[in-house]
Amino acid sequence: MNANTAVPAASMTLEHEGVPPDQTLAGEPTTASQTLTEIDGVEVGVWEMTPGTMSDVEAEEVFVVLSGSATVAFADDSPSLDLRAGDVVRLATGARTVWTVTETLRKVYVTGA
């Protein structure tokens, strides 16, 4: 992404891959991501997950949900997050999570590259 440009993050085509079997907990979820740009070592991109449940270990990240719905549960007993379009979320490095997506979730994320 060049300076002084815009991308249709909510509707851009992303190429999905199956979630690895060791991370898949229910259903047959797929994920896709595309880096949009990097600014001073900070990566900005789009990520999407289809319905299903998967485990993950998070990077330090802030994201905005563009569409869809999901619940994110944390292994450390932090309160679960019910995500919807418009939510802004911060995740901590190393957080062990379980994502349960009920409607394909798309987010724009910002993370240290």
Side-chain angles (χ1 to χ4, degrees), residues 47-52 65-71 83-85 99-107:
W47 180 88
E48 184 172 80
M49 180 178 161
T50 61
V65 177
L66 296 177
S67 59
S69 59
T71 299
L83 305 179
R84 304 284 181 270
W99 290 72
T100 301
V101 172
T102 52
E103 179 184 348
T104 298
L105 185 96
R106 183 173 284 212
K107 66 182 184 177

